[in-house]
Amino acid sequence: MAEQNRSQPLTALGDLRVLELCDEKGQYMGKLLADMGADVIKVEPPGGDAARRVGPFLDDTPGPERSLSFWYHNTSKRAITLDLERPEGQRLFKELARRADILLESQPPGYLDRLGLGYDDLSALNPRLIMTSLTPFGQTGPYRDYLASDLTLLALGGVMASCGYSEADFPDAPPIRPDGGHAWYIGCHYGVASTLVALLWRDLTGQGQRLDVSIQEAVSCTTEVALPMWLYNNTVVIRQTGRHAASFITPQTQHPTADGRLLNTFATGRDPASWTRLVEWLASEGMAEDLADPRYGDPLVRMGAATHQEPYHVAEVLGRFIARHTAEELFQGGQTRGLPWSIVRFPEETLADEHFRDRGFFVEVHHPEAGRALTYPGEPYRFSATPWRLRRRAPLVGEDNEAVLGGELGLSAAELDRLRSRGII
Amino acid sequence: MPTPLPLAHVRVVDFTWVIAGPQATRILADFGAETVRVEYHSNLDTIRNTGPFVEQAPGVNRSGFFNNMNRAKRSITLNVHHPDAFRLLKQLIALSDVVIENYSSRVMEDWGLGYEELRRIKPDIIYLSLSGFGHFGRHRDYITWGPTAQALSGLTAMSGLPGLPPAGWGYSYMDHTAGFYGAIAVLMALHHRNRTGQGQWIDMSQAQVGMALTGSAILDYVANGRPYKRPGNPPGNRLTDRPAAPHGAYPCRDGEWCAIAVFTDDQWRGLRHAMGEPAWTQEPRFASLSQRCAHQDELDELVGAWTRHQDATELMQRLQAAGVPAGRVQVSRMRAEEDPQLAHRGYLVETDHPEIGRWRVEAEPALLSATPSRIERAAPVLGEANGYVYQELLGLPDEDYARLVDEAAV
């Protein structure tokens, strides 16, 4: 188990050694643990994992040390190479598993068992081991061996059925897969949360265990009201442009601004105070139309699109006001009046956000090989005692072979050379 | 004997509402944490009054949405305007491990329950605040709902067809997701406390969590100077991070859709075979992956003309048998009633609610061999745990409790 380095700030997970045998499906689990201090050793096949072939690439030049996607999802880890299909690779992996607290893996179901590296084999060596298997459909069941991708899992898990366009706006538009690899994110979020649950149980009892996590099922637990609408009202929600899928056509919440942007106005008017300020604001510019009418004072009238026409009218009046102002004016003006308004921003625009700079969100990561530092998104949570910390750029292929296989497992330089020349590392 | 629940020793004071906070405590409660929702009649969690309702009849204990988010938790009522309220709250916090709230950022401080005060009450308390913008920074008073956070972080703009307004997310993805990080953070903090005895404050911003999910796009901009906002983006159902074609959702019979993702020549051969080797597939413009990517519009048209006559489920099965990644686009009904894999996993489990009866809720998607999740109760009826918390846990004598009830303190 890794020693807590006393010169470093406290970490939440600094006592943990984690082995990660994951491709792009599961690599984010390792990042979440590594950035909180766990010693995560990524085990890749010689030459590197397939996730290194996912773009975008530095200077648009593909290569195992140039994938920006790989860089982002593998920070703070170490990396070794091992050919697990050969006996020497398997033996070394078992040595590592003997010393590990957690094994994260996203291999096809049954693959590690066939290599003699399944949970039964490894837990016999290390009963404290927590082994988390994250796969598209789980370890058993009729779809266990189905082929899958981010797209097909967002389809089968129900996300795509809710994301897309109103039929009236764009007839025949398909259901949409939000870009960015969210099936993997959702799977990894559940994978990490449940691994930590198992860790807390081990803290109490010393007992390890096996976790079987299905990405499809995780996605299917992430569709908000769509499932209860079916269970309780036998209703299936319908897709609507830029807003919640619902059982009926709801008012627009995405409005064009004077400077060609879009403003999101979801939940406008929910509380009386911000509604009053909104109407005053519109009135001060002579644009409130009839919204000062007392009937709009009732939130069930102004918000109740299922039973009232007023919400559609409110959205139209808002749309006319928004069309006369810039996005920034509306964002600041709305928020200072207690309205949850926001500009529909592109990811790169967040880099200039002063509030998130105040919070120190973006961090600089040094890439010696590229001769420069790059700005990365930083902490998703701010811990007062054990801060999140991006300790190192993603590892190079086999970068830590000597430290781990030599330094820790005691292989000599000659043995490492021999393994290298035989393609085992 | 039932398996142990792994978090049964953890007590959570749960001030959360809507979705983001309740999603965090849902995971903790599903694994056994005693999670006490603190509520009051005059300021209810809006989800208690949000449908779907059982038999479409509204009522604070009748929302199916609330039942799905809050199963396995307990509920007490407490009127924070009553002079005894904070004394009672502090007694409960002193007996607890975790405090979680997703109010706007000044509420707990205004109540005199900021982290400094919480740790005076319980030195090793773990306090999670989950607001839109976090508790510090110049916009700490700005507020979000899920769609606000999605728009701010860039996620909305990353979803849609090129040239059209964003499709965005058809639900509050960032409520679920901020909740996942909330649960993860609390679990990490509990592990640290187990080792050191030290508690801490975790300050989260829902919008900030969304920004952590845009790493590849940010790095492409920072390293290559390529903004996400560019012609062709968002890419609809196509991929920009690797070649794949055909890759999309294709129309099927009866208004259904099937997602098909072809990455390799083998998979292309499988698709051709499944389609019955139509002549057009032999044309040079589709001969290689790069050619297929360059002619995706025509390819989508031709594949779609074939899928249009297929049953989506049979199409998925046939393509899978031919070695092609495929999955039908499933609405909730299909996931709940028809998907054999989800059924095999036990995706839905039944709970028994004292007012609305037996209803299915989502189970946890992680199966733990030694300490599986077990959802032992439905969502709490408002105030159902008042007796348990005020009398058993806090030890209030009968007459004191009766007085609190009389004075509408609880």
Side-chain angles (χ1 to χ4, degrees):
Chain A
M1 320 293 143
E3 277 293 304
Q4 183 96 41
N5 183 336
R6 290 182 195 284
S7 67
Q8 299 292 334
L10 274 181
T11 59
L13 307 179
D15 61 320
L16 297 178
R17 161 64 63 83
V18 179
L19 295 179
E20 183 199 288
L21 207 51
C22 294
D23 60 8
E24 70 172 326
K25 292 191 286 294
Q27 61 189 356
Y28 192 65
M29 291 195 289
K31 173 181 165 69
L32 288 170
L33 300 179
D35 289 341
M36 289 301 291
D39 179 19
V40 177
I41 299 179
K42 190 174 183 75
V43 181
E44 301 178 75
D49 186 77
R52 294 179 181 271
R53 297 197 289 271
V54 175
F57 299 96
L58 182 65
D59 302 327
D60 291 332
T61 309
E65 309 298 2
R66 308 185 68 86
S67 161
L68 303 176
S69 163
F70 184 88
W71 285 5
Y72 182 63
H73 297 105
N74 291 280
T75 57
S76 306
K77 301 177 190 175
R78 301 199 285 167
I80 64 169
T81 48
L82 271 187
D83 183 350
L84 297 181
E85 304 204 341
R86 293 158 76 178
E88 264 186 297
Q90 292 159 7
R91 188 181 60 77
L92 291 167
F93 185 77
K94 283 184 185 170
E95 281 307 307
L96 290 171
R98 194 194 292 276
R99 299 150 187 253
D101 300 285
I102 294 168
L103 167 60
L104 307 170
E105 67 96 3
S106 61
Q107 306 300 313
Y111 175 74
L112 291 176
D113 293 308
R114 285 196 293 280
L115 300 179
L117 301 175
Y119 178 68
D120 291 345
D121 305 294
L122 301 179
S123 66
L125 300 171
N126 176 5
R128 290 174 55 86
L129 184 70
I130 295 163
M131 176 168 165
T132 299
S133 298
L134 176 73
T135 52
F137 300 100
Q139 297 295 307
T140 61
Y143 292 179
R144 164 189 127 126
D145 298 320
Y146 264 23
L147 299 166
S149 75
D150 178 65
L151 175 82
T152 67
L153 290 168
L154 293 175
L156 283 162
V159 167
M160 288 178 67
S162 289
C163 298
Y165 293 96
S166 310
E167 187 66 20
D169 293 345
F170 305 104
D172 303 323
I176 295 293
R177 156 202 174 267
D179 191 19
H182 290 280
W184 313 144
Y185 284 133
I186 296 167
C188 286
H189 295 149
Y190 269 107
V192 163
S194 47
T195 299
L196 292 165
V197 167
L199 178 66
L200 293 176
W201 179 248
R202 199 191 71 162
D203 287 349
L204 281 182
T205 64
Q207 184 186 12
Q209 58 182 311
R210 172 79 186 282
L211 281 68
D212 167 8
V213 190
S214 153
I215 297 171
Q216 184 208 5
E217 191 180 356
V219 171
S220 203
C221 289
T222 311
T223 65
E224 207 208 52
V225 80
L227 181 84
M229 283 304 287
W230 167 254
L231 294 180
Y232 293 82
N233 284 357
N234 280 7
T235 300
V236 169
V237 295
I238 49 175
R239 294 185 289 282
Q240 306 190 43
T241 309
R243 58 192 190 272
H244 273 58
S247 56
F248 59 92
I249 306 293
T250 58
Q252 181 67 257
T253 59
Q254 193 166 267
H255 301 278
T257 65
D259 53 345
R261 309 297 309 276
L262 288 169
L263 187 81
N264 188 293
T265 60
F266 181 82
T268 295
R270 286 196 78 102
D271 67 288
S274 69
W275 173 256
T276 303
R277 288 191 289 268
L278 172 65
V279 175
E280 285 167 4
W281 188 17
L282 270 57
S284 74
E285 302 187 16
M287 298 192 73
E289 304 187 27
D290 61 344
L291 296 191
D293 187 296
R295 78 175 183 280
Y296 294 105
D298 181 350
L300 293 179
V301 173
R302 66 175 182 259
M303 299 286 299
T307 45
H308 291 80
Q309 282 307 306
E310 282 82 352
Y312 302 88
H313 176 66
V314 170
E316 284 171 18
V317 176
L318 273 182
R320 286 189 277 273
F321 179 75
I322 289 165
R324 295 272 297 274
H325 295 79
T326 66
E328 195 63 29
E329 275 169 11
L330 293 158
F331 173 49
Q332 304 297 345
Q335 284 283 356
T336 51
R337 289 173 175 83
L339 298 162
W341 286 6
S342 80
I343 304 169
V344 179
R345 300 199 296 204
F346 288 85
E348 56 271 14
E349 293 178 89
T350 62
L351 285 158
D353 188 301
E354 292 176 318
H355 172 77
F356 293 103
R357 291 198 169 194
D358 292 346
R359 291 177 65 78
F361 175 63
F362 287 101
V363 294
E364 294 291 300
V365 179
H366 192 48
H367 281 267
E369 297 75 19
R372 59 189 289 202
L374 296 175
T375 303
Y376 278 54
E379 57 188 13
Y381 21 48
R382 192 172 185 90
F383 284 67
S384 64
T386 60
W388 180 99
R389 199 161 68 87
L390 199 161
R391 287 173 292 163
R392 193 173 72 155
R393 54 126 179 81
L396 309 176
V397 178
E399 182 171 6
D400 301 288
N401 279 351
E402 274 157 39
V404 174
L405 301 174
E408 236 183 89
L409 298 190
L411 299 188
S412 68
E415 283 171 298
L416 286 170
D417 277 344
R418 187 180 57 82
L419 292 173
R420 211 171 279 125
S421 66
R422 294 183 55 214
I424 289 168
I425 64 173
Chain B
M1 214 176 73
T3 53
L5 284 165
L7 302 182
H9 60 295
V10 175
R11 181 174 296 129
V12 179
V13 181
D14 182 353
F15 292 103
T16 69
W17 56 6
V18 196
I19 308 174
Q23 173 70 68
T25 54
R26 170 170 126 163
I27 292 174
L28 304 177
D30 285 353
F31 285 104
E34 185 177 277
T35 303
V36 181
R37 289 178 52 92
V38 181
E39 307 188 79
Y40 197 62
H41 309 273
S42 61
N43 193 23
L44 285 178
D45 183 345
T46 179
I47 303 301
R48 281 197 179 274
N49 287 314
T50 301
F53 298 103
V54 172
E55 290 154 358
Q56 307 208 24
V60 298
N61 298 317
R62 300 182 61 81
S63 163
F65 192 3
F66 184 85
N67 197 29
N68 197 42
M69 288 310 301
N70 293 287
R71 73 289 174 90
K73 304 175 192 173
R74 310 297 304 264
S75 165
I76 60 169
T77 48
L78 183 66
N79 176 3
V80 292
H81 300 298
H82 187 277
D84 289 349
F86 287 100
R87 182 177 54 79
L88 294 166
L89 255 187
K90 289 175 183 180
Q91 285 176 27
L92 175 59
I93 290 166
L95 297 174
S96 300
D97 304 281
V98 179
V99 171
I100 305 185
E101 51 93 4
N102 67 318
Y103 296 132
S104 49
S105 69
R106 289 187 198 268
V107 171
M108 290 292 275
E109 274 173 45
D110 290 349
W111 285 357
L113 286 177
Y115 177 58
E116 288 310 315
E117 179 60 20
L118 291 174
R119 71 194 292 193
R120 260 193 292 281
I121 300 164
K122 181 78 180 349
D124 65 353
I125 198 77
I126 291 163
Y127 168 42
L128 175 77
S129 56
L130 200 184
S131 59
F133 284 75
H135 280 213
F136 67 92
R138 68 191 70 190
H139 294 156
R140 64 171 292 193
D141 294 320
Y142 286 13
I143 56 174
T144 60
W145 291 69
T148 328
Q150 286 147 214
L152 272 169
S153 59
L155 296 180
T156 300
M158 294 176 75
S159 172
L161 291 167
L164 299 189
W169 290 76
Y171 58 99
S172 286
Y173 175 58
M174 279 318 302
D175 279 348
H176 285 294
T177 304
F180 299 154
Y181 282 83
I184 287 168
V186 164
L187 293 163
M188 287 175 172
L190 282 166
H191 176 67
H192 177 71
R193 194 196 65 169
N194 284 348
R195 288 164 57 216
T196 63
Q198 185 182 35
Q200 56 184 315
W201 174 26
I202 304 148
D203 180 36
M204 282 181 57
S205 148
Q206 185 185 29
Q208 189 169 325
V209 173
M211 289 155 65
L213 303 182
T214 66
S216 292
I218 293 288
L219 283 182
D220 198 18
Y221 180 71
V222 169
N224 293 330
R226 181 189 293 114
Y228 192 88
K229 182 186 185 181
R230 62 180 190 266
N233 258 357
N237 291 324
R238 294 182 184 170
L239 297 182
T240 56
D241 61 2
R242 77 202 75 188
H247 190 278
Y250 296 88
C252 296
R253 234 164 47 201
D254 305 322
E256 284 198 41
W257 298 82
C258 186
I260 302 173
V262 174
F263 299 91
T264 66
D265 287 338
D266 276 349
Q267 292 168 355
W268 170 241
R269 275 189 288 276
L271 175 62
R272 271 169 33 199
H273 176 73
M275 291 191 292
E277 305 286 352
W280 62 262
T281 58
Q282 300 296 336
E283 293 173 24
R285 60 182 168 150
F286 302 129
S288 67
L289 179 55
S290 58
Q291 286 279 25
R292 291 191 289 279
C293 287
H295 298 97
Q296 266 193 91
D297 287 342
E298 301 117 275
L299 185 58
D300 281 351
E301 190 94 357
L302 289 159
V303 172
W306 173 71
T307 59
R308 201 172 287 280
H309 307 290
Q310 314 290 320
D311 173 82
T313 305
E314 287 169 20
L315 176 62
M316 169 180 74
Q317 292 164 346
R318 188 169 358 152
L319 291 176
Q320 287 284 351
V324 181
R328 80 165 164 174
V329 174
Q330 301 206 103
V331 299
S332 49
R333 171 180 53 77
M334 302 172 187
R335 292 184 281 131
E337 316 300 346
E338 297 171 7
D339 185 307
Q341 180 64 23
L342 288 173
H344 171 84
R345 297 274 306 179
Y347 166 51
L348 299 177
V349 294
E350 205 170 65
T351 56
D352 197 3
H353 185 287
E355 288 196 17
I356 57 176
R358 301 189 73 86
W359 292 93
R360 290 177 291 169
V361 297
E362 292 160 341
E364 286 294 319
L367 308 179
L368 278 64
S369 61
T371 61
S373 154
R374 204 166 51 243
I375 296 167
E376 295 189 316
R377 49 174 87 224
V381 167
L382 186 61
E384 56 78 35
N386 281 352
Y388 165 65
V389 170
Y390 292 119
Q391 297 193 270
E392 277 183 55
L393 273 187
L394 304 189
L396 284 187
D398 289 348
E399 59 275 21
D400 289 7
Y401 181 63
R403 179 180 62 81
L404 291 174
V405 173
D406 279 352
E407 296 175 1
V410 304

